[in-house]
Amino acid sequence: MISFMRFVSKLGCLVLLASAMLPAAIPDPVRVESGQLSGIDGHDPAVRVFKGIPYAAPPVGELRWKAPKAAASWKGVRDAHEFSPTCMQTPYPEGSIYRSAPEPMNEDCLYLNVWTAAKAADERPVMVWIHGGALTRGSGSTPAYDGESLAKKGVVLVTINYRLGVFGFLAHPELSKESDRNASGNYAFLDQIAALEWVKRNIAAFGGDPNRVTIFGESAGSWSVNYLMATPLAKGLFQHAIGESGGTFSPMTTLAEAEENGRKFVAKEGAESIAALRAKPAEDLLKAGGSFPPNVDGWMLPEDVYTIFAKGKQIDVPLIAGSNADEATSLAPWPSNGTAAAYVAQTRRRFGTATDRFLKIYPAESDEQAKAAHYDSYRDLVFGWQMRTWVRMATETGKSKAFLYYFNRVPPGPGSDRLRVYHAAEILYVFDNLGASPRPWEDDDRKLADTMSSYWVNFAATGDPNGKDLPRWPVYRRSDDVALELGSPIKPVAHLHEPALDFFDAWYAGLRGGK
């Protein structure tokens, strides 16, 4: 008995010694540059979540339509237990598959959220998610973007808010004049850059490596990743990039055009100056509507994205880019009274003398053919061509590897026959977060989610998605033109939709003044 007790005592000492040698968990509170933060446990207590962390000052009053300023410091410990309000936006209409439960909304919205399962001594790869929503809607707190699964796979996950619509993109001569860069608009991208700067300075406190940051986003979030690769202002703030269904290699709005658009908006609102417009309630500006695209302002974007990449002036980092098989079904559904004649007439207005070549690729001799042509051409023009162009230009004028994908899994459940592989269908798989939707998920879905999230995490760690027990993902080369089809099964496919994408190569070249 005495020998047994001695054994137990020695074993206890060994356990204590082993525990002492392990790195301590992330301490609570966490200290960042502005003060201390207290987080909460995730669904799995191995993950800590810090919500509603200010990365910039509230963009209100005189700071409306200005580049973001530093967040104020606080005393004591700040509870980071709840998400911040979303940025000002008009909800998706009733019936939209993108409509979600209303969230509190405020112009004071420049906050981010962190999920981490790291230990205090860790230097884990960091992934910063930029939400979609056409640059007019969305937030970093959408349930689909819950970062727990990715955190458990080994990254520190960050989601962010940024200004939207008129608040994120209004350009005007007065605003350009008051800027020390003679530029206006694009405040949303300056917000994203400010968030990345915050990550650079503070993410080590959460067990993240500030020199191993991957930016990733879907739709407008992918546009944002594209712009961030193009702007010199983001140099050094990220080391890898992932774009899901969104790029901007087509012609862009100029600063002069954006300023004129802003003049008209100010006149419509009956404001005599920007000061008068700043005095208006945010709700009034939101109700006023209007379209406010990003612009080539000469500062944040010295030239359009295509030209920056063509000259090899982009931020040269490893890239994943891709799109989905049925992007148009949820974005531009075929009208119930649609006809082949109407579709062909619309095509002639858009493509002019190139219409006959277009119709050879997308025949529309019957209403059913026209419907298929509508869906396929929208997918290829708005998404497929942009993503192929992105990986091509990144590899041809840069030195880093690129990987192209094509998501082709139909999520099961209501509406799947109609929507099929709709725009944003891949998000729950990327986050390995199928539980955020009450669909009747199958084993193939769970396996695909595990595989895709592993690709994304591997890429964040090394700049290459490949890893043990995963199907091999070939590096993109123009000569091979291979994409990885992410579906059931996962397999490489060569020259995907090549005649169609080559047609749009020629058409866009014509728009840019080429042959």
Side-chain angles (χ1 to χ4, degrees), residues 91-100 329-331 333 414-415 418-419:
Y92 283 102
E94 291 285 352
S96 168
I97 66 167
Y98 304 114
R99 188 177 176 91
S100 57
T329 54
S330 60
L331 299 178
R418 175 175 57 87
L419 293 172

Side-chain angles (χ1 to χ4, degrees), residues 135 165-171 258 261-262 265 285 289-294:
L135 300 175
V166 65
F167 304 96
F169 293 97
L170 178 71
N261 185 46
F265 178 78
L285 295 178
S291 177
F292 306 93

Side-chain angles (χ1 to χ4, degrees), residues 312-364:
K313 293 183 177 181
Q314 75 274 15
I315 296 174
D316 186 5
V317 296
L319 169 69
I320 288 175
S323 56
N324 297 355
D326 299 289
E327 300 272 12
T329 54
S330 60
L331 299 178
W334 179 254
S336 58
N337 61 346
T339 65
Y343 179 75
V344 170
Q346 180 187 45
T347 300
R348 291 199 181 280
R349 286 193 296 272
R350 182 164 201 176
F351 294 103
T353 57
T355 298
D356 290 344
R357 279 182 288 142
F358 178 93
L359 291 174
K360 286 182 180 178
I361 300 167
Y362 304 105

Side-chain angles (χ1 to χ4, degrees), residues 162-510:
Y162 55 91
R163 282 173 281 182
L164 303 166
V166 65
F167 304 96
F169 293 97
L170 178 71
H172 190 275
E174 274 192 56
L175 292 171
S176 297
K177 186 176 181 180
E178 72 179 29
S179 163
D180 59 357
R181 300 287 183 169
N182 195 33
S184 59
N186 296 338
Y187 306 107
F189 302 136
L190 299 179
D191 292 344
Q192 294 167 10
I193 291 166
L196 291 172
E197 290 172 338
W198 186 96
V199 167
K200 183 84 170 177
R201 298 190 302 266
N202 293 281
I203 205 64
F206 302 89
D209 183 349
N211 297 311
R212 207 162 29 138
V213 174
T214 297
I215 55 173
F216 71 131
E218 183 271 341
S219 194
S222 186
W223 298 344
S224 299
V225 171
N226 194 211
Y227 288 122
L228 290 171
M229 278 188 72
T231 177
L233 303 185
K235 190 172 180 61
L237 297 180
F238 59 93
Q239 286 69 46
H240 314 124
I242 303 174
E244 302 170 23
S245 300
T248 315
F249 292 91
S250 45
M252 289 186 62
T253 300
T254 66
L255 175 61
E257 290 167 340
E259 287 178 337
E260 181 58 27
N261 185 46
R263 279 185 201 270
K264 292 177 180 176
F265 178 78
V266 171
K268 182 169 72 76
E269 287 302 290
E272 297 179 355
S273 65
I274 289 296
L277 204 64
R278 282 186 171 127
K280 284 181 172 286
E283 293 77 9
D284 290 355
L285 295 178
L286 192 62
K287 291 176 184 176
S291 177
F292 306 93
N295 75 84
V296 181
D297 61 6
W299 173 47
M300 183 263 168
L301 282 177
E303 299 176 276
D304 65 83
V305 172
Y306 182 93
T307 301
I308 289 169
F309 272 76
K311 293 181 176 179
K313 293 183 177 181
Q314 75 274 15
I315 296 174
D316 186 5
V317 296
L319 169 69
I320 288 175
S323 56
N324 297 355
D326 299 289
E327 300 272 12
T329 54
S330 60
L331 299 178
W334 179 254
S336 58
N337 61 346
T339 65
Y343 179 75
V344 170
Q346 180 187 45
T347 300
R348 291 199 181 280
R349 286 193 296 272
R350 182 164 201 176
F351 294 103
T353 57
T355 298
D356 290 344
R357 279 182 288 142
F358 178 93
L359 291 174
K360 286 182 180 178
I361 300 167
Y362 304 105
E365 295 178 3
S366 68
D367 292 350
E368 276 304 304
Q369 263 197 344
K371 181 179 179 180
H374 163 76
Y375 282 123
D376 290 348
S377 63
Y378 187 98
R379 174 199 63 205
D380 297 339
L381 171 64
V382 180
F383 297 101
W385 179 83
Q386 299 280 2
M387 308 318 277
R388 191 183 77 167
T389 300
W390 195 349
V391 295
R392 280 190 172 182
M393 298 193 79
T395 54
E396 289 171 3
T397 65
K399 298 178 180 179
S400 299
K401 295 178 180 179
F403 301 85
L404 181 65
Y405 75 83
Y406 184 69
F407 183 74
N408 196 24
R409 172 69 181 174
V410 178
S416 61
D417 289 345
R418 175 175 57 87
L419 293 172
R420 297 192 56 76
V421 193
Y422 60 89
H423 184 65
E426 86 291 349
I427 292 175
L428 293 179
Y429 296 83
V430 164
F431 278 82
D432 196 7
N433 191 21
L434 301 183
S437 174
R439 290 178 176 271
W441 302 108
E442 302 169 1
D443 286 344
D444 281 351
D445 297 294
R446 287 182 279 273
K447 182 179 179 181
L448 182 58
D450 180 51
T451 299
M452 286 181 63
S453 58
S454 294
Y455 280 137
W456 265 235
V457 168
N458 289 347
F459 183 76
T462 68
D464 189 316
N466 291 292
K468 185 179 179 182
D469 299 327
L470 295 175
R472 185 71 185 169
W473 191 337
V475 173
Y476 184 82
R477 295 182 179 86
R478 183 176 185 136
S479 57
D480 303 328
D481 192 26
V482 172
L484 189 69
E485 186 173 288
L486 295 168
S488 299
I490 295 172
K491 63 182 188 296
V493 291
H495 308 293
L496 189 67
H497 309 311
E498 186 174 51
L501 303 189
D502 288 351
F503 169 85
F504 293 122
D505 268 339
W507 185 65
Y508 275 122

Side-chain angles (χ1 to χ4, degrees), residues 1-9:
M1 181 67 177
I2 292 174
S3 297
F4 177 74
M5 292 302 293
R6 285 177 178 166
F7 171 76
V8 171
S9 177

Side-chain angles (χ1 to χ4, degrees), residues 32-35 37 52-59 63 67-74 78 108-112 194-195 197-198 201-202:
V32 296
E33 61 187 353
S34 299
L37 294 165
I53 305 171
Y55 70 82
L63 295 185
K69 306 297 182 183
S73 298
W74 59 83
R78 179 188 179 108
D108 174 6
C109 64
L110 300 186
Y111 298 83
L112 54 77
E197 290 172 338
W198 186 96
R201 298 190 302 266
N202 293 281

